[in-house]
Amino acid sequence: MTVQAPYGTWPSPIDAGLVAAHDGRPEFLGAVGEELWWTEPRPHEGGRRALMRLPADGRQPAASVLPPPWNVRNRVIEYGGLPWAGAQRATGGPVVVFTHFGDQRLYAVEPDAPEGVRPRPLTPLSTVTGTGLRWCDPVVLPGRGEVWCVMEEFTGPGHTELRRLLAAVPLDGSAAEDRSRVRELTDDAHRFVTGPRLSPRGDRVAWLAWDHPAMPWDGTLALVADVTAQGTLARARAVAGGPQESVAQAEFAHDGALLIASDAGGWWNLHRLDPDAATPERPDRARRPLCPREEEFAGAGWKIGQRWFAPLPSGLVATLHGRGAQTLGVLDPESGELVDTAGPWTEWMPSLAVVDSRVAGIAASPRSAPEIVELDTRTGHTVVLASRHEDHVDPAYYPEPQIRTFTGPEGREVHAHLYPPHHPETAAPDGELPPYVVWVHGGPTSRSPLVLDLEIAYFTSRGIGVAEVNYGGSTGYGREYRNRLREQWGVVDVEDCAAVARTLAREGTADPARLAIRGGSAGGWTSAASLTSPAADEVYACGTISYPILDLSGWVDETHDFESQYLESLIGPLAECPGRYRERSPLNRAHRVRSPFLLLQGLDDVICPPVQCERFLEQIAGRQVPHAYLTFEGEGHGFRKAETIVRAVEAELSLYSQVFGLGRTDVPTLELHT
């Protein structure tokens, strides 16, 4: 029997504790021999990342290798990178190296050793904890007795006083007390580098590099060097890439050819090239596109070590591809034939592992959370190996999303996912329109995936709709769509989100008086900019702003190195257009804020530091705008602890309850100040 109740007041079994318990997803999947390893979130263990191991025999479930407080993450470029790698040995089982978030050191562990799991440090303890030395994207080379990886070394107290290069760390632990035992494989000529990828014979190595002010989706170089008998690198040279070409990934095929994902044609497509003949100036001499399509076969490199494609020993290539969402396919590089994986999964993460003819990945759908899935390329069969999705509530409460394309200013397309209010037993009275919240993803060069998200279900099952907007600048739709945001941040993103909100109101999908906007990081910027921009006047009744950028001029000097010159492309060269930085900053338009808002901030955030919020609140003081500011000890950029997530989700619902007149009493009342 269906019960009638106003939108936003519906009861729901999806509480904030359930949202927190299932926040995050598996990441950095890889193979060690025939075993699969990956990292997994633990919100109820202080937000640490556990290192998981799945035995090859299939008779034992995946298990965490390291007990708390071991936290397998790193802070290279602050967003981190591949934090572990392993290799099988002739005897004694595998050796695995990993980075521990607490001290940023590189450790080795031999999980099958008789004395048990006892990690031992491989790198020195930094004199300034967490800022001196950092490591990521490792490759274990037992034959050489080394780990080759990215080294990030701070040379001074400032956020941008550092160098990055490829380094070799001894596996015997001799560098744990002696920095001089770390061999530098390259110089620091490039500001940013990814980890090394060795050829099958071990005689060559490839990596990516780029320099300020470019971001990795703007322009990168694919570099190749010869590996000498002494383990040094020789004849390093660029073979692809440039200022207007983003190479997102480079891997050697099993025949020694180099495979790259390049957007030289406007879309990240796969290419095969001969490293001996290739140069960035004459790519046509040695480069062959493998499957030219107006689809993305890669994505934005926010974390070092992501893997969108993986060569198989047979010569086939497992690859993600698509417009918007990416699915897993198997490509025959000779014929160009691409066969997609069967199954219910609609979104695959950039984390592929190969074991002989089998490919493992992390996949999800609107009805399932991310799972570890294996594809047998010989039979085409797929099976869930680990992290199997479980319905912790009746799936009838899950939202039923719609893929929409809206029309923005000047007729431009705006991609979005619509999640209408949905409840199996409750409906709103006839004629009532629901409240909607526009969700803005971070980045801004990123994308909202179309997958089951219990935080979205938390709201939709209560009668509040959600619209995820992949505004101009988002990935998944080609370089031209990404470039819409160049020098237009705070304009195009604000306009596109407002266009979606206005259309929902105009077509009778949403209540025009009960629209909100929310986002974190760059999404927090767009949310705050929307509450202060004439382009979104009178659209939103309130907003939730998490760990945002609010003062562009200040942020340039306050943020970390990776994004310290990001605004050169998003806003424009600071030296040439300083007024644009002032005019677009929500800080300098705080007088335009009329709508109530909630501000959420981690106190350990070095990407968008708390001072951004503090300055904004100084400008708001005395303006009689209802607002709340919640801060969280021990949280950085993005929330990982269960208790933080619960508080943030419930506070957001309380904001909407008060502003939309929902009268909910099942969450703590958020105290709004003026």
Side-chain angles (χ1 to χ4, degrees):
M1 177 179 173
T2 301
V3 176
Q4 276 200 348
Y7 284 116
T9 69
W10 301 347
S12 174
I14 303 173
D15 61 21
L18 188 65
V19 172
H22 300 282
D23 184 72
R25 59 178 174 84
E27 199 172 22
F28 294 119
L29 178 68
V32 181
E34 294 190 352
E35 297 181 344
L36 293 177
W37 293 58
W38 65 92
T39 69
E40 202 166 84
R42 291 287 187 269
H44 288 286
E45 296 178 7
R48 80 179 184 103
R49 299 287 303 192
L51 183 61
M52 305 297 294
R53 179 188 191 185
L54 181 66
D57 59 19
R59 292 193 292 266
Q60 302 174 60
S64 175
V65 177
L66 303 166
W70 292 106
N71 186 358
V72 184
R73 277 177 62 208
N74 56 64
R75 289 180 56 185
V76 173
I77 67 168
E78 290 302 346
Y79 289 106
L82 180 65
W84 75 272
Q88 281 288 1
R89 299 173 296 178
T91 60
V95 58
V96 173
V97 302
F98 67 93
T99 53
H100 174 52
F101 190 76
D103 58 16
Q104 294 298 301
R105 297 176 89 178
L106 189 67
Y107 287 81
V109 64
E110 299 172 12
D112 296 339
E115 64 271 19
V117 179
R118 293 183 180 177
R120 51 186 174 83
L122 300 182
T123 55
L125 183 65
S126 296
T127 53
V128 181
T129 301
T131 59
L133 288 165
R134 300 173 182 173
W135 318 84
C136 85
D137 209 4
V139 177
V140 180
L141 303 174
R144 294 189 179 276
E146 292 180 323
V147 182
W148 288 14
C149 58
V150 174
M151 182 182 78
E152 182 179 81
E153 182 175 35
F154 280 77
T155 57
H159 295 309
T160 61
E161 296 179 71
L162 46 74
R163 59 199 290 261
R164 298 182 185 90
L165 47 86
L166 298 187
V169 177
L171 271 171
D172 62 9
S174 57
E177 303 295 336
D178 184 0
R179 163 69 175 80
S180 67
R181 295 284 295 169
V182 176
R183 288 197 306 123
E184 297 187 2
L185 296 170
T186 65
D187 58 23
D188 57 0
H190 294 289
R191 189 66 166 190
F192 303 96
V193 293
T194 65
R197 298 292 179 264
L198 270 78
S199 64
R201 294 194 303 176
D203 59 343
R204 282 180 174 161
V205 66
W207 70 100
L208 306 180
W210 67 97
D211 293 286
H212 282 317
M215 300 299 284
W217 43 87
D218 294 328
T220 58
L221 292 174
L223 298 158
V224 171
D226 300 331
V227 181
T228 69
Q230 295 73 37
T232 60
L233 303 188
R235 276 199 330 125
R237 64 268 189 199
V239 296
Q244 301 300 319
E245 178 186 0
S246 168
V247 179
Q249 184 184 341
E251 302 275 349
F252 283 101
H254 286 262
D255 64 358
L258 188 66
L259 305 181
I260 64 171
S262 163
D263 73 346
W267 298 79
W268 276 304
N269 278 195
L270 298 187
H271 301 254
R272 176 187 172 98
L273 56 85
D274 177 357
D276 290 323
T279 64
E281 293 75 23
R282 288 293 309 276
D284 54 307
R285 287 171 47 191
R287 182 186 299 192
R288 176 169 65 88
L290 299 183
C291 185
R293 293 187 181 188
E294 290 190 346
E295 293 184 5
E296 301 285 36
F297 286 69
W302 282 101
K303 294 185 178 182
I304 295 174
Q306 292 175 306
R307 203 176 192 200
W308 289 271
F309 69 88
L312 281 81
S314 64
L316 300 175
V317 180
T319 183
L320 307 186
H321 71 100
R323 281 191 176 216
Q326 290 186 315
T327 191
L328 174 63
V330 178
L331 173 67
D332 182 338
E334 297 303 319
S335 67
E337 181 183 10
L338 181 61
V339 179
D340 286 344
T341 303
W345 307 283
T346 56
E347 185 84 50
W348 291 72
M349 318 307 167
S351 191
L352 298 178
V354 170
V355 179
D356 192 22
S357 63
R358 304 188 303 278
V359 180
I362 302 169
S365 78
R367 308 296 290 179
S368 60
E371 305 174 296
I372 308 295
V373 180
E374 182 185 81
L375 164 69
D376 188 327
T377 60
R378 291 176 180 170
T379 65
H381 292 161
T382 54
V383 62
V384 177
L385 296 179
S387 299
R388 183 181 297 273
H389 171 76
E390 296 181 15
D391 291 317
H392 296 278
V393 297
D394 186 339
Y397 288 92
Y398 296 161
E400 297 180 352
Q402 305 168 8
I403 300 175
R404 295 278 304 269
T405 301
F406 294 83
T407 301
E410 301 175 1
R412 64 178 181 249
E413 288 186 344
V414 181
H415 301 286
H417 304 146
L418 203 63
Y419 298 85
H422 178 75
H423 195 288
E425 300 170 343
T426 309
D430 291 343
E432 184 186 358
L433 296 177
Y436 259 82
V437 183
V438 171
W439 281 33
V440 192
H441 64 69
T445 310
S446 183
R447 177 174 59 85
S448 294
L450 188 66
V451 298
L452 177 63
D453 185 336
L454 288 181
E455 190 170 6
I456 291 177
Y458 177 87
F459 292 102
T460 57
S461 62
R462 286 167 169 77
I464 300 173
V466 170
E468 288 184 316
V469 182
N470 285 320
Y471 48 87
S474 301
T475 54
Y477 308 98
R479 187 171 184 120
E480 183 179 348
Y481 195 84
R482 290 203 314 274
N483 284 348
R484 285 186 189 176
L485 211 57
R486 293 187 71 86
E487 300 195 4
Q488 296 298 309
W489 198 36
V491 179
V492 165
D493 50 328
V494 170
E495 291 177 345
D496 286 0
C497 289
V500 171
R502 288 185 173 117
T503 300
L504 294 177
R506 185 171 57 251
E507 69 186 19
T509 299
D511 183 346
R514 295 192 293 176
L515 294 169
I517 189 167
R518 64 99 81 172
S521 188
W525 151 270
T526 300
S527 299
S530 296
L531 296 183
T532 60
S533 170
D537 265 348
E538 300 182 359
V539 173
Y540 306 108
C542 61
T544 300
I545 304 165
S546 301
Y547 36 92
I549 300 166
L550 298 168
D551 172 16
L552 294 172
S553 299
W555 190 72
V556 169
D557 297 320
E558 294 161 356
T559 194
H560 61 143
D561 183 63
F562 178 57
E563 293 179 277
S564 62
Q565 296 186 36
Y566 195 8
L567 300 184
E568 294 285 301
S569 60
L570 288 175
I571 304 297
L574 178 59
E576 298 174 16
C577 51
R580 196 181 295 170
Y581 283 65
R582 292 191 300 270
E583 292 159 9
R584 292 192 195 165
S585 293
L587 175 74
N588 298 318
R589 299 195 303 204
H591 62 280
R592 292 187 52 84
V593 178
R594 299 289 184 270
S595 303
F597 65 89
L598 166 63
L599 200 52
L600 303 169
Q601 179 68 49
L603 293 179
D604 292 348
D605 193 342
V606 298
I607 296 173
C608 295
V611 67
Q612 290 271 312
C613 292
E614 293 162 7
R615 284 201 293 266
F616 183 72
L617 290 173
E618 289 174 2
Q619 297 300 312
I620 290 292
R623 297 187 180 277
Q624 303 304 305
V625 178
H627 66 276
Y629 179 42
L630 303 183
T631 59
F632 302 97
E633 296 275 359
E635 292 282 15
H637 198 64
F639 303 146
R640 292 177 171 84
K641 298 180 181 180
E643 58 270 27
T644 302
I645 297 167
V646 168
R647 180 73 176 105
V649 169
E650 292 185 339
E652 185 175 350
L653 179 59
S654 180
L655 173 70
Y656 303 150
S657 178
Q658 294 179 58
V659 175
F660 296 158
L662 307 180
R664 300 198 70 104
T665 60
D666 55 342
V667 293
T669 300
L670 177 70
E671 186 176 355
L672 298 175
H673 304 275
T674 56

